[in-house]
Amino acid sequence: MTPPPPASTLTWAQLRDLRCAELEGAADGWGKASNRADAGRDRVEKQLLNGLRETQRGAAADAAVGRLRQLSQNLQYVYTECGLVRTALNSLAHEMRAQQRALRDALDDAEALRFTVHADGSVTYPEAGEGLVDGKPLPGGRASVTAAPGLLPPSGLVAPNPNAAKAQDIADRVTKAVRTAAEIDWRFAGILRDLKAEEGLKVPDRTWTDAAGDAASVRDAARGYLKSGIPLDANPEARKAWWAGLTDEQREEYLAVYPDQIGNLDGIPALVRDTANRDNLQLLIGKLEGQDDADAETKLAGLREIDRQLKEGRQPPMYLLGIGDEGNGRAIVSYGNPDTARNVSAYVPGLNTSLDEDFARNDLKRARDTAKGAGKYDHSSAAIVWLGYDAPQTPDGLDSLDVMGDERAEKGGSAFGQFMGGLSATNENEDRHLTAIGHSYGSRTVGAATQQGGIPGVDDIIFVGSPGVGVDRAEDLGVGKEHVFVGAADNDVVTKLPSKQQSAVGAAAWMTGPAGMYLLGDLADRGDDDLWFGRDPASEAFGARRFQVDDGPRLVGGSGVSIDAHSRYFDPQRDAMSADSIAMITAGRADKVKMEASR
């Protein structure tokens, strides 16, 4: 529990004479220090590290890379903490100015009425009115400071002089302004005292845990100063315009104090989101390291792997467009800049996807493979993996089939549509080409997005490994059936998942082990084109264009039960036909794709 503020010696004269501009000047100094650290970090990451990797090899080079990475992390910490100090000082000045205005208004009213405000906040007022008996002016008096200003209005029966009530009101307003200012001063003094680093030249992991707490404290304190201005309920175009209209200093403060908000706000430019999310990534790692539970450890593994890849300087370059620990975790990664690339694809993963090490390795690789493949056909291409929703997770037993429902797809579809609207707003190309890709349950999520007003800016849609997309005809997806593409491996059991009417029991069995998989495979061979979420997208009746993919390993083979056919679509080594087809479609070269007959 936060202790109450101690008794304050602040006077109204001190509040009146407080120079908030000096606080803001100090904030500017901390801002310059923050900017210098950021510039230094940028130089280390983009010049020194890249140059060293490209020209040097060996143990000495590896040691130099390690030291430069440590320097970069130190500078990032300096950037973060100095930015927090700046915003704390600016927030203090902002709140103190509000109390100065309240005080000044009260003093102006006292001067206009020719009242006298004393050092203790009491107010002397002159005689006024008429006595009920003799008609003489009623004597003046002194309004004292009350224990609860504004809560005990004076009674006309006790003090009939009309000036008494006015004087009491002024005394209450002066007292309230001074007491509120004293509380503000006490609160910010505690925040600023906590903004300190350990001695030494290293920034250990525990320091980022402290930094996460520092950021939370400053965010709470700056709520009225900064957060209220973030257009959370606006559309992407309005958010883009809001950001463009801010001063450089305002942008720096938002990035320092609210990287989680700015980094995940659709409509903010990709470079800005990447900068914010790289900082928030460190704060999240620090936050989760301060927790001791399995969920935190799982997410930490995913965050650390993403952080490792970001620091490697991979090609195509990585942009972190979203990161968070809510629900099963959030992560949006682009290979290539989605604002400058003409061709941009966004892949939505499905069942059992969460922010963990497997996602950070395998799902990110799928987007990277797509970006590299598309780059062979058009160098102006970027590919995104979008984990912006809680994908359903496999249940522990047969008691729940909620994971096979529509609710998460509907919520995820809404968020995906907003994200794609943001891409459409920030992309700089007039002839941009956007592709939405849904894999497994992610195809149901993309399908849901099309039914919620359409997916902004999307030209083509790709479904792979789909158990159905929520509609029965390709033409109902809003892009024209000739722009809907489907990849369905013959041995991918998910693309033959029986309908709810056929076998809810079989669907549950599919998620509970090899015996269930065999049962589901038997049900899947019955030739019905109704899947769990509607008509089979690979069927002739659905009307999409089915591209060639490898059959994949059989469900039951010499080595036992395998669902590997469900996870190969993006991999150029394991299914070159499918990966190349996806790359061509996302690069706007669907005319080159080899099609095969529908089911």
Side-chain angles (χ1 to χ4, degrees), residues 63-381:
V65 166
R67 293 174 74 87
L68 284 172
R69 283 180 174 166
Q70 181 64 60
L71 175 61
S72 176
Q73 188 170 14
N74 290 355
L75 289 170
Q76 184 172 16
Y77 177 74
V78 172
Y79 159 77
T80 298
E81 289 291 298
C82 289
L84 292 176
V85 173
R86 171 184 55 191
T87 299
L89 290 171
N90 277 332
S91 297
L92 172 59
H94 174 77
E95 292 195 34
M96 283 299 200
R97 270 208 173 93
Q99 300 312 313
Q100 281 185 320
R101 285 193 295 270
L103 173 64
R104 190 177 301 112
D105 288 345
L107 295 177
D108 289 345
D109 287 347
E111 183 179 5
L113 293 168
R114 298 183 179 178
F115 293 175
T116 300
V117 181
H118 300 278
D120 64 353
S122 61
V123 178
T124 300
Y125 55 90
E127 62 180 19
E130 295 180 353
L132 296 176
V133 178
D134 56 12
K136 293 182 179 180
L138 296 170
R142 188 165 181 158
S144 300
V145 175
T146 62
L151 298 181
L152 299 171
S155 167
L157 296 176
V158 175
N161 185 329
N163 282 332
K166 297 175 184 178
Q168 189 63 61
D169 174 65
I170 291 172
D172 287 349
R173 287 157 59 194
V174 168
T175 302
K176 183 177 181 181
V178 172
R179 288 179 180 172
T180 303
E183 291 171 1
I184 293 168
D185 178 63
W186 172 82
R187 177 160 47 91
F188 275 94
I191 292 171
L192 289 167
R193 273 195 299 268
D194 289 339
L195 291 174
K196 59 184 179 181
E198 296 183 17
E199 293 184 5
L201 298 177
K202 288 188 176 181
V203 179
D205 290 340
R206 65 178 179 274
T207 305
W208 281 110
T209 301
D210 292 339
D214 293 342
S217 297
V218 176
R219 273 197 297 267
D220 183 62
R223 189 174 303 275
Y225 170 58
L226 286 177
K227 188 176 182 181
S228 59
I230 301 175
L232 298 176
D233 297 328
N235 61 40
E237 290 284 358
R239 291 169 178 169
K240 179 184 176 184
W242 168 75
W243 184 259
L246 296 177
T247 65
D248 288 343
E249 182 179 355
Q250 288 173 323
R251 292 176 187 167
E252 290 164 5
E253 289 200 84
Y254 276 115
L255 287 172
V257 183
Y258 291 107
D260 56 330
Q261 298 280 344
I262 302 303
N264 291 284
L265 200 61
D266 300 322
I268 300 298
L271 284 173
V272 176
R273 292 180 70 161
D274 178 63
T275 297
N277 285 317
R278 286 178 188 244
D279 292 333
N280 192 39
L281 176 62
Q282 301 304 321
L283 294 175
L284 282 173
I285 289 173
K287 171 187 173 183
L288 293 176
E289 282 177 341
Q291 301 175 12
D292 185 20
D293 59 77
D295 181 63
E297 283 299 317
T298 297
K299 290 172 180 172
L300 264 175
L303 292 173
R304 286 178 176 139
E305 175 59 22
I306 292 173
D307 186 43
R308 184 189 69 79
Q309 293 183 34
L310 287 168
K311 290 175 179 175
E312 277 187 348
R314 292 191 167 193
Q315 293 297 323
M318 291 174 66
Y319 294 83
L320 191 57
L321 304 182
I323 200 74
D325 64 341
E326 62 267 35
N328 293 328
R330 302 286 187 268
I332 307 170
V333 177
S334 179
Y335 290 90
N337 187 334
D339 288 351
T340 59
R342 190 181 75 83
N343 304 293
V344 183
S345 65
Y347 142 62
V348 182
L351 181 67
N352 280 339
T353 309
S354 62
L355 180 55
D356 57 15
E357 190 171 1
D358 180 74
F359 166 82
R361 291 185 181 276
N362 297 318
D363 287 280
L364 264 65
K365 181 181 182 300
R366 291 172 178 173
R368 185 169 181 245
D369 285 340
T370 299
K372 292 172 69 175
K376 294 187 299 184
Y377 297 99
D378 188 338
H379 70 277
S380 183
S381 297

